[in-house]
Amino acid sequence: MRIASRLCLMTIGLALAAPGFAAKDPNLKLIKARQGEMQLRSFNVGPLFGMAKGKMEYNAELAATLANNLKTQLELDMGRAWKKGTGNDAYSGKTTALPKIWTTYPEIADYGKKYAKAINELAAVAGNGVDSLKAKMGAVGKSCKGCHDEFREEQ
Ligand code: HEC
């Protein structure tokens, strides 16, 4: 009886500990960080696409601010968040990053460079009128999609 209840307590103990272990896996934190950085890109770029497509009224000040936010984001070194072994093969359901990122490295860096170029060009003119904005948003959209098509699980 005593042994049985002890065993029972041990089982409960283990059950409680299991989610704790999972939450402490530092890789989950870095996956969240890189996804957060992507979410921030999306948050900043959304209204710029809206304005370029005429779905939202052009506002020079907002356009310049958002484009500069995207440019400022380029300054972040997110290298630590892209640790080898954290693709969707090992973390299925937690990440959409394809293992190809690491097996073909540094191929993805070329996509990052294209993106940086598009953002820098955008930030230089985003506040100069809707036509200037429109002229640069195509390349931005292509650079997001281009990288996702290659290195991100299909959505
Ligand atoms: C150089 C490659 C690259 C570029 C450029 C890029 N992304 Fe991503 N993006 C990724 C990868 C890889 C993931 C998957 C990350 C993960 O799930 O760990 C991702 C994920 C995302 C996600 C999902 C985040 C989540 O919470 O799961 C969003 C939103 C996103 N990107 C938006 C953008 C936008 C908007 C742009 C352009 C303004 C952009 N990305 C440019 C590679 C890129």
Side-chain angles (χ1 to χ4, degrees), residues 30-32 34-43 45-46 49 70 81-82 86 94-98 101 108-113 115-116 119 140-141 143-148 151-153 155:
L30 66 83
I31 289 169
K32 275 224 170 107
R34 72 192 184 206
Q35 289 173 338
E37 198 263 335
M38 288 289 167
Q39 291 289 343
L40 194 53
R41 287 185 192 191
S42 180
F43 181 69
V45 89
F49 279 122
L70 289 165
W82 295 97
T86 61
K94 302 280 183 200
T95 176
T96 58
L98 296 178
I101 292 171
I108 193 170
D110 292 336
Y111 289 77
K113 274 181 204 151
Y115 172 71
I119 293 299
V140 172
S143 68
C144 303
K145 190 178 179 300
C147 189
H148 290 167
F151 299 104
R152 192 181 171 206
E153 192 180 301
Q155 296 302 291

mmCIF file of all heavy atoms in Angstrom, residues 30-32 34-43 45-46 49 70 81-82 86 94-98 101 108-113 115-116 119 140-141 143-148 151-153 155, ligand 1:
data_model
loop_
_atom_site.group_PDB
_atom_site.id
_atom_site.type_symbol
_atom_site.label_atom_id
_atom_site.label_comp_id
_atom_site.label_asym_id
_atom_site.label_seq_id
_atom_site.Cartn_x
_atom_site.Cartn_y
_atom_site.Cartn_z
ATOM 1 N N LEU A 30 14.644 30.484 -28.811
ATOM 2 C CA LEU A 30 15.265 31.150 -29.969
ATOM 3 C C LEU A 30 14.360 31.059 -31.198
ATOM 4 O O LEU A 30 14.327 31.986 -32.013
ATOM 5 C CB LEU A 30 16.702 30.653 -30.205
ATOM 6 C CG LEU A 30 17.002 29.221 -30.634
ATOM 7 C CD1 LEU A 30 16.852 29.061 -32.117
ATOM 8 C CD2 LEU A 30 18.412 28.848 -30.195
ATOM 9 N N ILE A 31 13.603 29.972 -31.312
ATOM 10 C CA ILE A 31 12.646 29.861 -32.422
ATOM 11 C C ILE A 31 11.604 30.977 -32.289
ATOM 12 O O ILE A 31 11.281 31.660 -33.263
ATOM 13 C CB ILE A 31 11.973 28.465 -32.440
ATOM 14 C CG1 ILE A 31 12.976 27.394 -32.882
ATOM 15 C CG2 ILE A 31 10.742 28.455 -33.344
ATOM 16 C CD1 ILE A 31 12.506 25.954 -32.688
ATOM 17 N N LYS A 32 11.132 31.181 -31.063
ATOM 18 C CA LYS A 32 10.144 32.243 -30.818
ATOM 19 C C LYS A 32 10.731 33.606 -31.156
ATOM 20 O O LYS A 32 10.039 34.487 -31.685
ATOM 21 C CB LYS A 32 9.727 32.238 -29.347
ATOM 22 C CG LYS A 32 8.636 31.265 -29.034
ATOM 23 C CD LYS A 32 7.598 31.918 -28.116
ATOM 24 C CE LYS A 32 6.373 31.056 -27.981
ATOM 25 N NZ LYS A 32 6.283 30.404 -26.676
ATOM 26 N N ARG A 34 13.114 34.397 -33.362
ATOM 27 C CA ARG A 34 13.216 34.660 -34.819
ATOM 28 C C ARG A 34 11.827 34.834 -35.427
ATOM 29 O O ARG A 34 11.637 35.628 -36.348
ATOM 30 C CB ARG A 34 14.041 33.576 -35.514
ATOM 31 C CG ARG A 34 13.366 32.232 -35.646
ATOM 32 C CD ARG A 34 14.363 31.169 -36.062
ATOM 33 N NE ARG A 34 13.712 29.891 -36.295
ATOM 34 C CZ ARG A 34 14.319 28.721 -36.175
ATOM 35 N NH1 ARG A 34 15.590 28.653 -35.830
ATOM 36 N NH2 ARG A 34 13.681 27.600 -36.431
ATOM 37 N N GLN A 35 10.837 34.102 -34.894
ATOM 38 C CA GLN A 35 9.471 34.280 -35.401
ATOM 39 C C GLN A 35 8.947 35.661 -35.008
ATOM 40 O O GLN A 35 8.248 36.314 -35.782
ATOM 41 C CB GLN A 35 8.558 33.177 -34.849
ATOM 42 C CG GLN A 35 8.873 31.820 -35.465
ATOM 43 C CD GLN A 35 8.110 30.669 -34.826
ATOM 44 O OE1 GLN A 35 7.649 30.774 -33.689
ATOM 45 N NE2 GLN A 35 7.992 29.561 -35.530
ATOM 46 N N GLY A 36 9.322 36.099 -33.809
ATOM 47 C CA GLY A 36 8.924 37.442 -33.353
ATOM 48 C C GLY A 36 9.508 38.521 -34.241
ATOM 49 O O GLY A 36 8.832 39.505 -34.579
ATOM 50 N N GLU A 37 10.743 38.308 -34.664
ATOM 51 C CA GLU A 37 11.379 39.294 -35.538
ATOM 52 C C GLU A 37 10.646 39.343 -36.889
ATOM 53 O O GLU A 37 10.458 40.404 -37.480
ATOM 54 C CB GLU A 37 12.867 38.960 -35.708
ATOM 55 C CG GLU A 37 13.716 40.112 -36.226
ATOM 56 C CD GLU A 37 13.937 40.062 -37.729
ATOM 57 O OE1 GLU A 37 13.866 38.961 -38.304
ATOM 58 O OE2 GLU A 37 14.171 41.111 -38.325
ATOM 59 N N MET A 38 10.209 38.165 -37.350
ATOM 60 C CA MET A 38 9.443 38.097 -38.601
ATOM 61 C C MET A 38 8.072 38.759 -38.423
ATOM 62 O O MET A 38 7.586 39.455 -39.315
ATOM 63 C CB MET A 38 9.259 36.642 -39.045
ATOM 64 C CG MET A 38 10.520 35.998 -39.567
ATOM 65 S SD MET A 38 10.985 36.685 -41.185
ATOM 66 C CE MET A 38 12.648 36.044 -41.325
ATOM 67 N N GLN A 39 7.464 38.544 -37.270
ATOM 68 C CA GLN A 39 6.158 39.168 -36.994
ATOM 69 C C GLN A 39 6.276 40.683 -37.019
ATOM 70 O O GLN A 39 5.382 41.386 -37.489
ATOM 71 C CB GLN A 39 5.626 38.725 -35.621
ATOM 72 C CG GLN A 39 5.218 37.263 -35.547
ATOM 73 C CD GLN A 39 3.944 36.967 -36.321
ATOM 74 O OE1 GLN A 39 3.192 37.868 -36.661
ATOM 75 N NE2 GLN A 39 3.714 35.702 -36.616
ATOM 76 N N LEU A 40 7.377 41.171 -36.515
ATOM 77 C CA LEU A 40 7.608 42.612 -36.501
ATOM 78 C C LEU A 40 7.775 43.146 -37.933
ATOM 79 O O LEU A 40 7.277 44.223 -38.265
ATOM 80 C CB LEU A 40 8.856 42.914 -35.648
ATOM 81 C CG LEU A 40 9.089 44.353 -35.225
ATOM 82 C CD1 LEU A 40 7.874 44.948 -34.537
ATOM 83 C CD2 LEU A 40 10.297 44.426 -34.285
ATOM 84 N N ARG A 41 8.444 42.373 -38.770
ATOM 85 C CA ARG A 41 8.551 42.765 -40.190
ATOM 86 C C ARG A 41 7.153 42.900 -40.774
ATOM 87 O O ARG A 41 6.826 43.871 -41.448
ATOM 88 C CB ARG A 41 9.298 41.690 -41.000
ATOM 89 C CG ARG A 41 10.768 41.636 -40.732
ATOM 90 C CD ARG A 41 11.431 40.634 -41.674
ATOM 91 N NE ARG A 41 12.795 40.383 -41.227
ATOM 92 C CZ ARG A 41 13.706 39.735 -41.928
ATOM 93 N NH1 ARG A 41 13.406 39.228 -43.106
ATOM 94 N NH2 ARG A 41 14.919 39.571 -41.469
ATOM 95 N N SER A 42 6.346 41.882 -40.493
ATOM 96 C CA SER A 42 4.994 41.843 -41.023
ATOM 97 C C SER A 42 4.174 43.039 -40.516
ATOM 98 O O SER A 42 3.441 43.676 -41.275
ATOM 99 C CB SER A 42 4.377 40.511 -40.588
ATOM 100 O OG SER A 42 3.092 40.390 -41.043
ATOM 101 N N PHE A 43 4.321 43.355 -39.251
ATOM 102 C CA PHE A 43 3.608 44.475 -38.629
ATOM 103 C C PHE A 43 3.991 45.800 -39.298
ATOM 104 O O PHE A 43 3.147 46.659 -39.540
ATOM 105 C CB PHE A 43 3.961 44.511 -37.134
ATOM 106 C CG PHE A 43 3.287 45.604 -36.362
ATOM 107 C CD1 PHE A 43 1.919 45.571 -36.137
ATOM 108 C CD2 PHE A 43 4.019 46.667 -35.846
ATOM 109 C CE1 PHE A 43 1.291 46.583 -35.414
ATOM 110 C CE2 PHE A 43 3.399 47.677 -35.127
ATOM 111 C CZ PHE A 43 2.032 47.641 -34.918
ATOM 112 N N VAL A 45 5.491 46.127 -42.395
ATOM 113 C CA VAL A 45 5.339 46.150 -43.849
ATOM 114 C C VAL A 45 3.862 46.172 -44.279
ATOM 115 O O VAL A 45 3.543 46.654 -45.371
ATOM 116 C CB VAL A 45 6.111 44.961 -44.504
ATOM 117 C CG1 VAL A 45 5.250 43.697 -44.624
ATOM 118 C CG2 VAL A 45 6.672 45.356 -45.862
ATOM 119 N N GLY A 46 2.974 45.684 -43.411
ATOM 120 C CA GLY A 46 1.552 45.567 -43.761
ATOM 121 C C GLY A 46 0.942 46.855 -44.306
ATOM 122 O O GLY A 46 0.429 46.885 -45.425
ATOM 123 N N PHE A 49 2.207 47.891 -47.772
ATOM 124 C CA PHE A 49 1.536 47.198 -48.877
ATOM 125 C C PHE A 49 0.137 47.782 -49.076
ATOM 126 O O PHE A 49 -0.298 47.976 -50.209
ATOM 127 C CB PHE A 49 1.442 45.688 -48.613
ATOM 128 C CG PHE A 49 2.707 44.936 -48.932
ATOM 129 C CD1 PHE A 49 3.357 44.185 -47.968
ATOM 130 C CD2 PHE A 49 3.238 44.978 -50.216
ATOM 131 C CE1 PHE A 49 4.524 43.492 -48.258
ATOM 132 C CE2 PHE A 49 4.412 44.292 -50.524
ATOM 133 C CZ PHE A 49 5.056 43.542 -49.537
ATOM 134 N N LEU A 70 11.707 49.079 -40.653
ATOM 135 C CA LEU A 70 12.208 47.879 -41.331
ATOM 136 C C LEU A 70 13.714 47.974 -41.539
ATOM 137 O O LEU A 70 14.442 47.000 -41.382
ATOM 138 C CB LEU A 70 11.493 47.689 -42.676
ATOM 139 C CG LEU A 70 10.025 47.255 -42.579
ATOM 140 C CD1 LEU A 70 9.312 47.459 -43.910
ATOM 141 C CD2 LEU A 70 9.906 45.794 -42.136
ATOM 142 N N ALA A 81 19.531 33.148 -33.223
ATOM 143 C CA ALA A 81 18.182 32.590 -33.309
ATOM 144 C C ALA A 81 18.044 31.565 -34.442
ATOM 145 O O ALA A 81 17.006 30.933 -34.586
ATOM 146 C CB ALA A 81 17.164 33.718 -33.484
ATOM 147 N N TRP A 82 19.075 31.442 -35.265
ATOM 148 C CA TRP A 82 19.020 30.518 -36.404
ATOM 149 C C TRP A 82 20.015 29.390 -36.204
ATOM 150 O O TRP A 82 20.780 29.048 -37.111
ATOM 151 C CB TRP A 82 19.283 31.284 -37.708
ATOM 152 C CG TRP A 82 18.198 32.285 -37.995
ATOM 153 C CD1 TRP A 82 18.221 33.619 -37.706
ATOM 154 C CD2 TRP A 82 16.923 32.046 -38.610
ATOM 155 N NE1 TRP A 82 17.049 34.219 -38.091
ATOM 156 C CE2 TRP A 82 16.225 33.274 -38.654
ATOM 157 C CE3 TRP A 82 16.301 30.900 -39.114
ATOM 158 C CZ2 TRP A 82 14.936 33.395 -39.189
ATOM 159 C CZ3 TRP A 82 15.023 31.021 -39.657
ATOM 160 C CH2 TRP A 82 14.360 32.258 -39.687
ATOM 161 N N THR A 86 17.572 23.388 -35.572
ATOM 162 C CA THR A 86 16.281 23.889 -35.086
ATOM 163 C C THR A 86 15.274 24.053 -36.228
ATOM 164 O O THR A 86 14.422 24.934 -36.203
ATOM 165 C CB THR A 86 16.434 25.228 -34.316
ATOM 166 O OG1 THR A 86 16.972 26.222 -35.212
ATOM 167 C CG2 THR A 86 17.330 25.090 -33.102
ATOM 168 N N LYS A 94 6.475 23.561 -34.248
ATOM 169 C CA LYS A 94 6.980 24.730 -33.516
ATOM 170 C C LYS A 94 7.604 25.745 -34.454
ATOM 171 O O LYS A 94 7.707 26.922 -34.136
ATOM 172 C CB LYS A 94 8.062 24.311 -32.501
ATOM 173 C CG LYS A 94 7.614 23.299 -31.488
ATOM 174 C CD LYS A 94 6.833 23.957 -30.371
ATOM 175 C CE LYS A 94 6.442 22.943 -29.307
ATOM 176 N NZ LYS A 94 5.324 23.417 -28.495
ATOM 177 N N THR A 95 8.092 25.248 -35.568
ATOM 178 C CA THR A 95 8.765 26.122 -36.521
ATOM 179 C C THR A 95 8.417 25.706 -37.943
ATOM 180 O O THR A 95 8.115 24.542 -38.190
ATOM 181 C CB THR A 95 10.305 26.072 -36.334
ATOM 182 O OG1 THR A 95 10.927 26.872 -37.350
ATOM 183 C CG2 THR A 95 10.852 24.659 -36.444
ATOM 184 N N THR A 96 8.456 26.673 -38.855
ATOM 185 C CA THR A 96 8.254 26.350 -40.266
ATOM 186 C C THR A 96 9.573 26.488 -41.035
ATOM 187 O O THR A 96 9.587 26.480 -42.258
ATOM 188 C CB THR A 96 7.174 27.267 -40.892
ATOM 189 O OG1 THR A 96 7.577 28.627 -40.734
ATOM 190 C CG2 THR A 96 5.812 27.060 -40.243
ATOM 191 N N ALA A 97 10.660 26.633 -40.297
ATOM 192 C CA ALA A 97 11.980 26.766 -40.933
ATOM 193 C C ALA A 97 12.421 25.409 -41.478
ATOM 194 O O ALA A 97 12.425 24.411 -40.750
ATOM 195 C CB ALA A 97 12.991 27.286 -39.922
ATOM 196 N N LEU A 98 12.767 25.370 -42.761
ATOM 197 C CA LEU A 98 13.182 24.113 -43.378
ATOM 198 C C LEU A 98 14.658 23.819 -43.079
ATOM 199 O O LEU A 98 15.478 24.738 -43.066
ATOM 200 C CB LEU A 98 12.973 24.173 -44.898
ATOM 201 C CG LEU A 98 11.532 24.310 -45.389
ATOM 202 C CD1 LEU A 98 11.499 24.405 -46.924
ATOM 203 C CD2 LEU A 98 10.681 23.129 -44.924
ATOM 204 N N ILE A 101 17.789 25.362 -44.836
ATOM 205 C CA ILE A 101 18.479 26.599 -44.431
ATOM 206 C C ILE A 101 19.923 26.278 -44.063
ATOM 207 O O ILE A 101 20.843 26.996 -44.449
ATOM 208 C CB ILE A 101 17.769 27.249 -43.214
ATOM 209 C CG1 ILE A 101 16.399 27.781 -43.621
ATOM 210 C CG2 ILE A 101 18.636 28.337 -42.572
ATOM 211 C CD1 ILE A 101 15.528 28.251 -42.446
ATOM 212 N N ILE A 108 20.939 30.984 -48.093
ATOM 213 C CA ILE A 108 19.891 31.857 -47.549
ATOM 214 C C ILE A 108 20.395 33.295 -47.364
ATOM 215 O O ILE A 108 19.617 34.254 -47.453
ATOM 216 C CB ILE A 108 19.307 31.295 -46.223
ATOM 217 C CG1 ILE A 108 18.008 32.054 -45.854
ATOM 218 C CG2 ILE A 108 20.332 31.312 -45.095
ATOM 219 C CD1 ILE A 108 17.217 31.445 -44.705
ATOM 220 N N ALA A 109 21.684 33.439 -47.161
ATOM 221 C CA ALA A 109 22.248 34.782 -46.956
ATOM 222 C C ALA A 109 22.044 35.654 -48.196
ATOM 223 O O ALA A 109 21.854 36.871 -48.098
ATOM 224 C CB ALA A 109 23.731 34.694 -46.600
ATOM 225 N N ASP A 110 22.054 35.028 -49.386
ATOM 226 C CA ASP A 110 21.813 35.784 -50.627
ATOM 227 C C ASP A 110 20.399 36.359 -50.635
ATOM 228 O O ASP A 110 20.175 37.474 -51.097
ATOM 229 C CB ASP A 110 21.991 34.879 -51.858
ATOM 230 C CG ASP A 110 23.440 34.468 -52.051
ATOM 231 O OD1 ASP A 110 24.333 35.194 -51.567
ATOM 232 O OD2 ASP A 110 23.677 33.408 -52.661
ATOM 233 N N TYR A 111 19.462 35.575 -50.107
ATOM 234 C CA TYR A 111 18.072 36.040 -50.024
ATOM 235 C C TYR A 111 17.961 37.172 -49.008
ATOM 236 O O TYR A 111 17.198 38.115 -49.197
ATOM 237 C CB TYR A 111 17.151 34.875 -49.656
ATOM 238 C CG TYR A 111 16.987 33.869 -50.773
ATOM 239 C CD1 TYR A 111 17.991 32.940 -51.047
ATOM 240 C CD2 TYR A 111 15.851 33.863 -51.556
ATOM 241 C CE1 TYR A 111 17.856 32.025 -52.084
ATOM 242 C CE2 TYR A 111 15.694 32.955 -52.589
ATOM 243 C CZ TYR A 111 16.711 32.041 -52.847
ATOM 244 O OH TYR A 111 16.565 31.137 -53.878
ATOM 245 N N GLY A 112 18.742 37.062 -47.948
ATOM 246 C CA GLY A 112 18.776 38.123 -46.942
ATOM 247 C C GLY A 112 19.344 39.407 -47.521
ATOM 248 O O GLY A 112 18.856 40.504 -47.226
ATOM 249 N N LYS A 113 20.347 39.262 -48.374
ATOM 250 C CA LYS A 113 20.962 40.443 -49.005
ATOM 251 C C LYS A 113 19.984 41.131 -49.955
ATOM 252 O O LYS A 113 19.904 42.356 -50.003
ATOM 253 C CB LYS A 113 22.230 40.028 -49.765
ATOM 254 C CG LYS A 113 23.450 39.988 -48.873
ATOM 255 C CD LYS A 113 24.698 39.586 -49.661
ATOM 256 C CE LYS A 113 25.734 38.992 -48.726
ATOM 257 N NZ LYS A 113 26.610 38.013 -49.389
ATOM 258 N N TYR A 115 16.804 41.073 -49.715
ATOM 259 C CA TYR A 115 15.813 41.708 -48.841
ATOM 260 C C TYR A 115 16.361 43.039 -48.306
ATOM 261 O O TYR A 115 15.684 44.062 -48.358
ATOM 262 C CB TYR A 115 15.445 40.758 -47.696
ATOM 263 C CG TYR A 115 14.576 41.402 -46.649
ATOM 264 C CD1 TYR A 115 13.237 41.714 -46.914
ATOM 265 C CD2 TYR A 115 15.085 41.729 -45.389
ATOM 266 C CE1 TYR A 115 12.442 42.332 -45.966
ATOM 267 C CE2 TYR A 115 14.294 42.342 -44.435
ATOM 268 C CZ TYR A 115 12.968 42.645 -44.724
ATOM 269 O OH TYR A 115 12.194 43.273 -43.792
ATOM 270 N N ALA A 116 17.589 43.022 -47.827
ATOM 271 C CA ALA A 116 18.198 44.240 -47.263
ATOM 272 C C ALA A 116 18.283 45.341 -48.319
ATOM 273 O O ALA A 116 18.009 46.512 -48.048
ATOM 274 C CB ALA A 116 19.588 43.917 -46.704
ATOM 275 N N ILE A 119 14.835 46.814 -48.867
ATOM 276 C CA ILE A 119 14.422 47.655 -47.735
ATOM 277 C C ILE A 119 15.195 48.977 -47.739
ATOM 278 O O ILE A 119 14.612 50.044 -47.512
ATOM 279 C CB ILE A 119 14.608 46.908 -46.386
ATOM 280 C CG1 ILE A 119 13.635 45.734 -46.288
ATOM 281 C CG2 ILE A 119 14.448 47.862 -45.195
ATOM 282 C CD1 ILE A 119 12.155 46.079 -46.331
ATOM 283 N N VAL A 140 10.257 44.480 -52.463
ATOM 284 C CA VAL A 140 10.170 44.063 -51.056
ATOM 285 C C VAL A 140 9.339 42.775 -50.963
ATOM 286 O O VAL A 140 9.759 41.778 -50.370
ATOM 287 C CB VAL A 140 9.553 45.178 -50.168
ATOM 288 C CG1 VAL A 140 9.281 44.674 -48.759
ATOM 289 C CG2 VAL A 140 10.472 46.398 -50.130
ATOM 290 N N GLY A 141 8.156 42.813 -51.577
ATOM 291 C CA GLY A 141 7.272 41.640 -51.550
ATOM 292 C C GLY A 141 7.943 40.407 -52.131
ATOM 293 O O GLY A 141 7.860 39.320 -51.563
ATOM 294 N N SER A 143 11.084 39.774 -52.250
ATOM 295 C CA SER A 143 12.182 39.266 -51.424
ATOM 296 C C SER A 143 11.662 38.502 -50.203
ATOM 297 O O SER A 143 12.282 37.526 -49.780
ATOM 298 C CB SER A 143 13.141 40.394 -51.021
ATOM 299 O OG SER A 143 12.513 41.299 -50.136
ATOM 300 N N CYS A 144 10.533 38.906 -49.664
ATOM 301 C CA CYS A 144 9.924 38.136 -48.558
ATOM 302 C C CYS A 144 9.502 36.765 -49.111
ATOM 303 O O CYS A 144 9.871 35.720 -48.579
ATOM 304 C CB CYS A 144 8.671 38.795 -47.993
ATOM 305 S SG CYS A 144 8.842 40.477 -47.364
ATOM 306 N N LYS A 145 8.719 36.812 -50.195
ATOM 307 C CA LYS A 145 8.145 35.596 -50.751
ATOM 308 C C LYS A 145 9.237 34.654 -51.277
ATOM 309 O O LYS A 145 9.164 33.444 -51.091
ATOM 310 C CB LYS A 145 7.163 35.959 -51.870
ATOM 311 C CG LYS A 145 6.339 34.786 -52.337
ATOM 312 C CD LYS A 145 5.326 35.161 -53.415
ATOM 313 C CE LYS A 145 4.541 33.951 -53.882
ATOM 314 N NZ LYS A 145 5.354 32.872 -54.459
ATOM 315 N N GLY A 146 10.227 35.251 -51.925
ATOM 316 C CA GLY A 146 11.312 34.453 -52.500
ATOM 317 C C GLY A 146 11.979 33.595 -51.442
ATOM 318 O O GLY A 146 12.236 32.403 -51.657
ATOM 319 N N CYS A 147 12.247 34.186 -50.303
ATOM 320 C CA CYS A 147 12.905 33.430 -49.226
ATOM 321 C C CYS A 147 11.949 32.408 -48.614
ATOM 322 O O CYS A 147 12.334 31.275 -48.351
ATOM 323 C CB CYS A 147 13.440 34.377 -48.155
ATOM 324 S SG CYS A 147 14.489 33.517 -46.960
ATOM 325 N N HIS A 148 10.711 32.809 -48.411
ATOM 326 C CA HIS A 148 9.738 31.872 -47.832
ATOM 327 C C HIS A 148 9.537 30.663 -48.744
ATOM 328 O O HIS A 148 9.439 29.539 -48.284
ATOM 329 C CB HIS A 148 8.395 32.571 -47.584
ATOM 330 C CG HIS A 148 8.455 33.573 -46.469
ATOM 331 N ND1 HIS A 148 7.471 34.496 -46.236
ATOM 332 C CD2 HIS A 148 9.410 33.811 -45.519
ATOM 333 C CE1 HIS A 148 7.802 35.244 -45.187
ATOM 334 N NE2 HIS A 148 8.976 34.858 -44.742
ATOM 335 N N PHE A 151 12.782 28.502 -48.211
ATOM 336 C CA PHE A 151 13.291 28.069 -46.905
ATOM 337 C C PHE A 151 12.240 27.915 -45.819
ATOM 338 O O PHE A 151 12.572 27.682 -44.669
ATOM 339 C CB PHE A 151 14.371 29.060 -46.432
ATOM 340 C CG PHE A 151 15.540 29.136 -47.359
ATOM 341 C CD1 PHE A 151 15.710 30.215 -48.223
ATOM 342 C CD2 PHE A 151 16.475 28.106 -47.402
ATOM 343 C CE1 PHE A 151 16.786 30.278 -49.094
ATOM 344 C CE2 PHE A 151 17.552 28.157 -48.267
ATOM 345 C CZ PHE A 151 17.714 29.254 -49.115
ATOM 346 N N ARG A 152 10.983 28.090 -46.195
ATOM 347 C CA ARG A 152 9.937 27.970 -45.195
ATOM 348 C C ARG A 152 8.911 26.940 -45.652
ATOM 349 O O ARG A 152 8.576 26.893 -46.842
ATOM 350 C CB ARG A 152 9.277 29.347 -45.017
ATOM 351 C CG ARG A 152 8.384 29.423 -43.822
ATOM 352 C CD ARG A 152 7.746 30.812 -43.741
ATOM 353 N NE ARG A 152 6.727 30.787 -42.717
ATOM 354 C CZ ARG A 152 5.682 31.589 -42.688
ATOM 355 N NH1 ARG A 152 5.513 32.501 -43.631
ATOM 356 N NH2 ARG A 152 4.810 31.498 -41.729
ATOM 357 N N GLU A 153 8.447 26.149 -44.702
ATOM 358 C CA GLU A 153 7.407 25.157 -44.963
ATOM 359 C C GLU A 153 6.225 25.836 -45.649
ATOM 360 O O GLU A 153 5.854 26.940 -45.250
ATOM 361 C CB GLU A 153 6.979 24.616 -43.598
ATOM 362 C CG GLU A 153 6.128 23.408 -43.575
ATOM 363 C CD GLU A 153 5.811 23.052 -42.104
ATOM 364 O OE1 GLU A 153 6.751 22.823 -41.311
ATOM 365 O OE2 GLU A 153 4.624 23.047 -41.755
ATOM 366 N N GLN A 155 2.744 27.171 -46.512
ATOM 367 C CA GLN A 155 1.679 27.522 -45.553
ATOM 368 C C GLN A 155 0.308 27.103 -46.031
ATOM 369 O O GLN A 155 -0.009 27.198 -47.172
ATOM 370 C CB GLN A 155 1.689 29.045 -45.315
ATOM 371 C CG GLN A 155 2.964 29.517 -44.669
ATOM 372 C CD GLN A 155 3.245 28.844 -43.353
ATOM 373 O OE1 GLN A 155 2.531 29.081 -42.381
ATOM 374 N NE2 GLN A 155 4.270 28.013 -43.296
HETATM 375 C C1 HEC B 1 16.065 35.464 -45.942
HETATM 376 C C2 HEC B 1 14.829 34.741 -45.686
HETATM 377 C C3 HEC B 1 13.575 35.467 -45.277
HETATM 378 C C4 HEC B 1 13.154 36.736 -45.638
HETATM 379 C C5 HEC B 1 13.828 37.745 -46.560
HETATM 380 C C6 HEC B 1 11.898 36.944 -44.976
HETATM 381 N N1 HEC B 1 11.559 35.831 -44.241
HETATM 382 FE FE1 HEC B 1 9.895 35.637 -43.087
HETATM 383 N N2 HEC B 1 10.499 33.771 -42.537
HETATM 384 C C7 HEC B 1 11.647 33.137 -42.956
HETATM 385 C C8 HEC B 1 11.748 31.839 -42.320
HETATM 386 C C9 HEC B 1 12.863 30.824 -42.514
HETATM 387 C C10 HEC B 1 10.625 31.704 -41.496
HETATM 388 C C11 HEC B 1 10.273 30.522 -40.566
HETATM 389 C C12 HEC B 1 10.726 30.873 -39.138
HETATM 390 C C13 HEC B 1 10.359 29.819 -38.105
HETATM 391 O O1 HEC B 1 9.192 29.344 -38.095
HETATM 392 O O2 HEC B 1 11.239 29.454 -37.305
HETATM 393 C C14 HEC B 1 9.852 32.936 -41.665
HETATM 394 C C15 HEC B 1 8.648 33.199 -41.018
HETATM 395 C C16 HEC B 1 7.893 34.333 -41.198
HETATM 396 C C17 HEC B 1 6.630 34.594 -40.540
HETATM 397 C C18 HEC B 1 5.920 33.662 -39.559
HETATM 398 C C19 HEC B 1 6.446 33.916 -38.147
HETATM 399 C C20 HEC B 1 5.788 33.022 -37.107
HETATM 400 O O3 HEC B 1 5.265 33.565 -36.117
HETATM 401 O O4 HEC B 1 5.794 31.797 -37.280
HETATM 402 C C21 HEC B 1 6.201 35.835 -40.962
HETATM 403 C C22 HEC B 1 4.936 36.558 -40.527
HETATM 404 C C23 HEC B 1 7.195 36.330 -41.880
HETATM 405 N N3 HEC B 1 8.207 35.395 -41.999
HETATM 406 C C24 HEC B 1 7.106 37.553 -42.514
HETATM 407 C C25 HEC B 1 8.079 38.067 -43.374
HETATM 408 C C26 HEC B 1 7.952 39.314 -44.087
HETATM 409 C C27 HEC B 1 6.747 40.228 -44.020
HETATM 410 C C28 HEC B 1 9.086 39.471 -44.804
HETATM 411 C C29 HEC B 1 9.461 40.616 -45.702
HETATM 412 C C30 HEC B 1 9.130 41.955 -45.282
HETATM 413 C C31 HEC B 1 9.917 38.310 -44.537
HETATM 414 N N4 HEC B 1 9.271 37.464 -43.680
HETATM 415 C C32 HEC B 1 11.150 38.105 -45.103
HETATM 416 C C33 HEC B 1 12.566 33.644 -43.835
HETATM 417 C C34 HEC B 1 12.553 34.905 -44.402
#
